[in-house]
Amino acid sequence: MAIEITMPRLSDTMQQGTIVRWAVKEGQKVSSGDAIADIETDKATMELTTFDDGVVASLAVPEGKTVPVGTVIAVLASAGEDVSKAKAGTGAAAPGAKAAASGGGNAPAKASGGGTAVAEPPAAASPAPSGGNGHAPTSRSGERIFVSPLARKIANEGGIDLASIQGTGPSGRIVRKDVEAAMASGGTARGGTALQSGDGSTALENRATRNGGRTTALESGATRMLPPTGSTLAAKVVPLSNMRRTIATRLVQSKTTIPHYQVTVEADMDALMALREQLNDQLSSQGVKLTVNDFLVRACALAMHQHPFVNSRWAEKGNEASVEIIGQVNVGVAIALPEERGGGLVVATLRNADQIGLRQISQQTKALSSKAREKGLTIEEMSDATFTISNLGMFGVDHFTAIINPPNVAILAVGAAIKKPVVKNDQVVAGWVMSMTMSSDHRIVDGAMAAQYLNTVKGYLEKPATLLV
């Protein structure tokens, strides 16, 4: 009997999901536990796995399309079943059908009158992501070309023929770097001709990549090219992703319901930079490399013990309001997702950050960041933060302000530790300085309290040996 896989409910607030990419193709065998797709929810992009063994008979929803929870997105042919018959029997929705799941299960939607609600029909189909003709791209032999949405977009803009590219992604999928490599080497344009510029040379769109906070050229070694004189940007409307829509809603809610204000301090980072270098030299053989952010997370967590109101939330019940001081210190670290995973921002939670050392903070942060960018975090890994740190120092930013992440009452915006002239002992010398700006909820944290908290954090950073015990 065919196994219908429906769009799962991966969070309590999820009403619909988007297929970011399929990790399988029709006719491919899968086993229980195999990742079959990346699903974008209202909170994150998460990996979808199957609970069943079988052969993929149909991928009912194309990449890039958003459908309601409960909609059939794929069909598996079970052992011994004819794949073509399983595909022909694909339904439009399947209340109670078996669903793939990642993290949590597919909780059925509740109808207003009780019982299980039939999933709403999918919204009107938008044009399928394509090579520009409104259909899924195919090779010259008529076979479907598997390509990520971002790679397809770049190929369309650059006029690259996807059929001429050999994919290096999962199952031979064409990914962004494949298209950029083709453009760098003078790939084939749609129609079979090589891409050339007006002077006959190979055209290249040099898309810079970020590496450790430094902007580097692509592996081709090409240098950044200026846009042609008189060129204009292409006007277009970009639909919001589920995550971007949720971010927009929550941040508007935060700015309109929480009275924000900012306090900034600068910390002398000379001692910390020297200690960090010494520790990294000693721990390099163990694969440990501490970042400034690791020290910052520990300093912020320890400072909560002197200033517990910064680790609290505003509570309202009817006409009564109160402040709830939270016993656990869970520091959230903001992580920017790459365009290949739909972009956006997630906050990974380091639980009980005041109870763990620098090495554990470093390991957990790296693991969560890597998982967020490659597979997607679970709801558990993104929930219960009591304070958030947003660090743009790796992008060369030295100062900015951030919007509070509800229900937190504060967020710390951190710039780069930079070397600049400072006054020490009445002498102007070069020194490492880092700017920190905390946005606070004025209903709970007043100016003096914010200043005291930041000065405690500053004290830990300027005497970093205290962070080792």
Side-chain angles (χ1 to χ4, degrees), residues 182-244:
M183 296 176 74
S185 60
T188 304
R190 287 191 289 271
T193 58
L195 285 173
Q196 293 186 326
S197 61
D199 60 1
S201 59
T202 302
L204 167 68
E205 179 180 0
N206 179 32
R207 296 176 180 267
T209 57
R210 287 278 179 185
N211 181 13
R214 294 181 177 84
T215 303
T216 59
L218 295 172
E219 290 82 353
S220 62
T223 55
R224 180 180 296 276
M225 299 178 72
L226 294 174
T229 303
S231 64
T232 59
L233 290 174
K236 58 183 176 181
V237 176
V238 179
L240 290 178
S241 65
N242 293 334
M243 186 189 299
R244 181 58 62 189

Side-chain angles (χ1 to χ4, degrees), residues 84-354:
S84 59
K85 288 183 179 179
K87 182 175 182 178
T90 302
K98 284 187 179 181
S102 174
N106 181 10
K110 292 185 179 178
S112 57
T116 302
V118 177
E120 296 177 5
S126 56
S130 67
N133 56 5
H135 302 284
T138 57
S139 66
R140 294 181 182 85
S141 62
E143 296 179 354
R144 180 181 172 189
I145 297 174
F146 289 87
V147 55
S148 74
L150 179 61
R152 184 187 294 111
K153 177 176 179 290
I154 296 172
N156 289 343
E157 293 174 352
I160 289 287
D161 183 5
L162 289 171
S164 67
I165 300 175
Q166 180 65 45
T168 62
S171 303
R173 181 179 304 276
I174 298 172
V175 294
R176 172 183 178 173
K177 67 178 182 179
D178 300 327
V179 177
E180 290 177 328
M183 296 176 74
S185 60
T188 304
R190 287 191 289 271
T193 58
L195 285 173
Q196 293 186 326
S197 61
D199 60 1
S201 59
T202 302
L204 167 68
E205 179 180 0
N206 179 32
R207 296 176 180 267
T209 57
R210 287 278 179 185
N211 181 13
R214 294 181 177 84
T215 303
T216 59
L218 295 172
E219 290 82 353
S220 62
T223 55
R224 180 180 296 276
M225 299 178 72
L226 294 174
T229 303
S231 64
T232 59
L233 290 174
K236 58 183 176 181
V237 176
V238 179
L240 290 178
S241 65
N242 293 334
M243 186 189 299
R244 181 58 62 189
R245 187 179 293 111
T246 300
I247 289 173
T249 301
R250 284 176 58 81
L251 293 187
V252 169
Q253 178 188 22
S254 177
K255 284 294 285 185
T256 55
T257 63
I258 298 176
H260 283 59
Y261 74 99
Q262 285 77 32
V263 176
T264 300
V265 298
E266 285 190 343
D268 179 347
M269 301 291 283
D270 285 345
L272 190 147
M273 297 300 279
L275 176 62
R276 172 176 171 263
E277 183 178 7
Q278 180 184 353
L279 291 174
N280 283 341
D281 285 343
Q282 295 172 349
L283 298 173
S284 61
S285 61
Q286 302 176 38
V288 177
K289 186 174 182 180
L290 302 175
T291 67
V292 171
N293 203 67
D294 298 331
F295 288 87
L296 184 64
V297 168
R298 181 151 171 79
C300 287
L302 291 179
M304 296 299 177
H305 289 264
Q306 289 101 310
H307 312 280
F309 279 92
V310 180
N311 198 66
S312 68
R313 57 176 160 244
W314 180 262
E316 286 186 5
K317 188 173 183 180
N319 295 326
E320 297 295 325
S322 60
V323 177
E324 179 185 349
I325 295 177
I326 305 166
Q328 284 186 311
V329 179
N330 300 332
V331 177
V333 179
I335 302 170
L337 300 180
E339 293 181 30
E340 292 90 336
R341 294 199 59 80
L345 188 74
V346 296
V347 175
T349 304
L350 300 173
R351 297 178 182 276
N352 298 306
D354 58 328

Side-chain angles (χ1 to χ4, degrees), residues 263-267 399 412 433-438 450-451 454-455 457-458:
V263 176
T264 300
V265 298
E266 285 190 343
H399 175 268
L412 189 67
V433 176
M434 186 178 74
S435 173
M436 301 180 290
T437 299
M438 190 165 82
L454 283 177
N455 274 291
V457 173
K458 176 181 176 180

Side-chain angles (χ1 to χ4, degrees), residues 391-399 414-419 433-435:
N391 192 336
L392 291 180
M394 66 286 294
F395 297 107
V397 174
D398 58 5
H399 175 268
V414 184
I418 58 177
K419 212 164 193 178
V433 176
M434 186 178 74
S435 173

